[in-house]
Amino acid sequence: MFFRMCEGPYESQAERQPMKEIIIFPFNYRNKTEFLINRHLCREPLKTLYMAPHLGKIRDFKIRYSVCRPSEALLPATHSLKTLATELVERFSGLRIIGEVEKYMAVISILKESGTGRLVGNNISGVALAVMQFIRDIKISSGSGIDLPGIRKKVSGYDWKFAYNLDILLDALGVMEEYAGFLDENGLMDTEDIYGKAAACVGDIAWNNLLMEGFYEIPEYQRAFVKALFEKVENITFSFCMDQGVSPDVRDLILDRTLAFLEEAGDWQKKEIRGNGCPGREECYNFSSQPEEVKGIAGLISAFLASNP
């Protein structure tokens, strides 16, 4: 049977004190979502928010919730970080998210009007796309605020082997600065800006209970928003995975950094869940190209389904 029915009593909200807890599962623990619904999700769906990194996980939660609690007609509210942040800024910030085509035309216009610099002498369409990606990368790797003068000072102080590369980078930073002014003048924001703007709007949410599942990495540009949610919501359960079998690079570069952020962002109670008798099995396959990898994965899935009717 695909789903395991939830069992056991749940402590009522009236009996439960406000709590922020991190539940740490082994990666091979089966039916984590059912465990969370049973043990850590209150029976007040109108006051509860479930969050996952993507819509596929949210759909999976809704199915499992309905199986675990068939007598409940209402489901908790569900969001990814992006959908919740987008909804908050559209309702409360007064700003509009700029579309990709509109952004492209704005960058093209800035490049044409500048008239000088190493960037303009090349294919302007390709340069515009490269500058858009440059802006996106800086915003994603930065926190809630971007210090363009500080970035310019830092790159200028670097010992560049070729001054040409420095000139290109400084020109790109100049375009980014003008683009930021364009957004401010027109009441616009990039998709990467929504999390910082939404952090100021979380006071308007009405949920008292939050369950977050599947978040193993929280990028810098999302952290102010996540921290604001932690400060606003009284009862939080954050589901996480960690065990001894994790490779050192994943542990050091992703999992440990996420746990460090969580510990800085709130006062948590940690609970470690033991494995439930389902040992993991690692299998490695080497493919010569991405199309071969997709074809190979499809073949492995077909073989598994054929052997497990």
Side-chain angles (χ1 to χ4, degrees):
M1 185 174 182
F2 183 72
F3 296 115
R4 176 174 59 87
M5 295 300 292
C6 298
E7 300 172 354
Y10 176 83
E11 186 179 15
S12 70
Q13 189 68 24
E15 299 169 342
R16 192 183 186 196
Q17 298 298 320
M19 180 185 298
K20 292 178 171 60
E21 55 186 353
I22 300 175
I23 311 299
I24 302 178
F25 293 95
F27 273 99
N28 63 356
Y29 193 95
R30 298 184 65 183
N31 302 310
K32 301 181 188 71
T33 303
E34 287 89 341
F35 181 96
L36 294 167
I37 293 171
N38 175 40
R39 306 290 180 86
H40 298 278
L41 193 64
C42 79
R43 295 186 178 274
E44 296 178 308
L46 293 179
K47 297 182 180 180
T48 302
L49 171 64
Y50 172 86
M51 299 191 74
H54 52 82
L55 297 181
K57 181 63 178 173
I58 290 173
R59 295 190 192 100
D60 178 74
F61 165 78
K62 291 179 178 180
I63 294 172
R64 294 174 187 267
Y65 186 91
S66 298
V67 172
C68 286
R69 298 184 179 178
S71 62
E72 295 189 11
L74 297 176
L75 274 71
T78 56
H79 275 291
S80 66
L81 282 176
K82 184 175 182 179
T83 59
L84 179 59
T86 301
E87 181 176 306
L88 288 173
V89 296
E90 287 180 345
R91 291 179 59 188
F92 301 111
S93 73
L95 300 175
R96 179 174 65 83
I97 300 173
I98 190 171
E100 286 299 301
V101 174
E102 189 177 2
K103 179 177 180 178
Y104 173 75
M105 296 306 298
V107 172
I108 284 278
S109 178
I110 292 170
L111 287 170
K112 287 181 177 179
E113 290 176 2
S114 64
T116 59
R118 301 293 183 104
L119 295 175
V120 179
N122 298 294
N123 179 350
I124 194 167
S125 298
V127 170
L129 292 174
V131 170
M132 288 170 62
Q133 186 62 52
F134 173 77
I135 294 171
R136 183 178 294 110
D137 289 344
I138 287 184
K139 289 189 174 184
I140 287 176
S141 61
S142 302
S144 56
I146 298 176
D147 180 15
L148 286 178
I151 295 174
R152 183 178 285 105
K153 182 178 179 180
K154 188 173 183 178
V155 299
S156 298
Y158 182 76
D159 185 17
W160 294 88
K161 186 175 182 179
F162 300 104
Y164 174 82
N165 294 330
L166 173 60
D167 292 340
I168 290 177
L169 185 54
L170 292 176
D171 285 346
L173 286 171
V175 174
M176 183 174 179
E177 193 166 23
E178 290 191 46
Y179 175 70
F182 167 80
L183 294 179
D184 291 339
E185 291 172 6
N186 294 276
L188 300 170
M189 61 181 166
D190 276 329
T191 302
E192 295 76 29
D193 298 328
I194 62 175
Y195 302 101
K197 303 293 185 183
C201 304
V202 297
D204 295 294
I205 67 175
W207 298 295
N208 296 328
N209 312 289
L210 172 62
L211 172 59
M212 298 184 72
E213 184 182 12
F215 293 93
Y216 304 121
E217 182 177 20
I218 301 175
E220 286 287 342
Y221 73 119
Q222 295 179 342
R223 291 187 174 185
F225 178 50
V226 173
K227 187 175 181 180
L229 284 174
F230 290 163
E231 293 173 352
K232 168 62 178 177
V233 182
E234 293 181 355
N235 301 296
I236 302 173
T237 297
F238 192 101
S239 171
F240 200 69
C241 286
M242 177 78 82
D243 56 43
Q244 297 301 318
V246 178
S247 62
D249 54 344
V250 172
R251 178 186 290 272
D252 295 342
L253 299 177
I254 299 177
L255 301 179
D256 283 348
R257 294 184 181 185
T258 301
L259 278 177
F261 163 70
L262 293 174
E263 290 169 355
E264 293 174 2
D267 185 16
W268 300 88
Q269 294 187 20
K270 284 187 180 180
K271 296 182 181 179
E272 294 191 14
I273 308 300
R274 294 182 179 180
N276 55 1
C278 303
R281 184 182 66 178
E282 293 184 0
E283 296 183 10
C284 297
Y285 299 89
N286 186 28
F287 299 102
S288 60
S289 64
Q290 190 173 28
E292 287 295 322
E293 180 180 2
V294 173
K295 183 179 178 180
I297 291 173
L300 291 170
I301 294 172
S302 298
F304 177 80
L305 293 176
S307 61
N308 295 272

